[in-house]
Amino acid sequence: MIWLPVLGLVVGVAIGFVANVTIPIMYSSYLSIAILAALDTVFGGIRASLDKTFDSAVFLSGFFFNTLIAALLAYIGNQLGVDLYLAAVVAFGVRLFQNIAVIRRVAFDRAGKRRLKGN
Amino acid sequence: MRTRTKLALSLSVVSLVLGFMVAVQYKQQAHTTSFSFFSGDPQQKQLMAELTALKQSNSNAEAELAALTGQISTYEQQSTGGNAALQTLQQKLQDERILAGVSPVAGPGVSVTLMDGVATGNNVEQVLTHDWDIRSVINELFTAGAEAVSINGYRVVATSGIFCTGPVVEINDHRIGAPFTIYAIGDPQALKSALTIQGGILDSLRQRGVNASEPQEMQTISMPAYTGTIMAGPSQ
């Protein structure tokens, strides 16, 4: 069951490589922002599951919504001549690191407890 | 247990989409970076071919011009015949042409080569051979009585510009890079001593780290004529 997401990732990468999908170069920056947003959501989801506050509806809607909004924000910024994508990069980047840090801490906590139990 | 199933399922869906996006972006990125090299882009190839053809025809035209100039001077010499006054005039004209750089010339002189030095740390700017270094060397040579000077085979005339265009130096609208081999025709000893004088131009270049060769006295140097247009005034 745990390996299902990893399998999904592998399948997704395979589809992406095999399928002849190309995005016009001008939109490729939006895709990269969307990827960042998606990564952020994934790590947010993992963290929530470790905190036992995971809600699949929130997670799924957050994933697609964040991804779209990030791309949209970058697009609007491009139209206005404001580097709004930087805001998205900073916001998502900071959250990404925070989430990873929390996940790491929780993992260490659990490992510590298990060791205590073992003793 | 149901939450765990849900978690696994939604994570799978999301990671599927994420993987897809990452793969597409990765492919895109690899595609974009390969653009900057000379890839199989047909338009770029065609432009390169056109450029090569133009350069070729340009150099052909220059060779033709040089041949025609040679013919003209032979005709001129023939037309003077035995007239002494005309011959003197002809000789004067020839001398002036050599000084102006519009006729090929051969004679004794010196050669010196300027190479970029090897940078150690942050002093890249210092050890590069700049346009003003070449100008200084050439001015020194002319001051010492050089009658003709060429840089990497391009004759320096009164209207020659020597200036920096990015990583290379532009001389007579030709872009050349280091090493710069400078030939000067004139009294070899005078020219050599002008360059090698203590605290002179070569000394100061070497002190900065530029790799300047020792000037070599040469018995015969032949130089091509200047083939560009000579313009007076600021008209372009």
Side-chain angles (χ1 to χ4, degrees), chain B residues 76-88:
Chain B
E76 276 173 356
Q77 257 155 15
Q78 281 169 2
S79 67
T80 52
N83 193 326
L86 271 179
Q87 264 176 1
T88 337

Side-chain angles (χ1 to χ4, degrees), chain A residues 2 5 16 19 23 31 42 63, chain B residues 4 14-15 18 20 25 27-28:
Chain A
I2 294 297
I23 286 174
L31 183 60
V42 167
F63 177 78
Chain B
R4 284 205 68 164
V14 161
S15 49
L18 181 65
F20 176 73
Q25 176 76 351
K27 249 185 7 186
Q28 195 91 27

Side-chain angles (χ1 to χ4, degrees), chain A residues 45-88:
Chain A
I46 293 173
R47 180 201 167 170
S49 78
L50 289 175
D51 287 350
K52 307 241 185 319
T53 54
F54 184 80
D55 183 340
S56 68
V58 169
F59 178 65
L60 279 178
S61 67
F63 177 78
F64 292 106
F65 200 69
N66 273 358
T67 306
L68 282 178
I69 287 293
L72 190 69
L73 204 68
Y75 173 75
I76 291 171
N78 215 359
Q79 297 301 309
L80 295 178
V82 184
D83 290 340
L84 270 183
Y85 73 91
L86 280 179

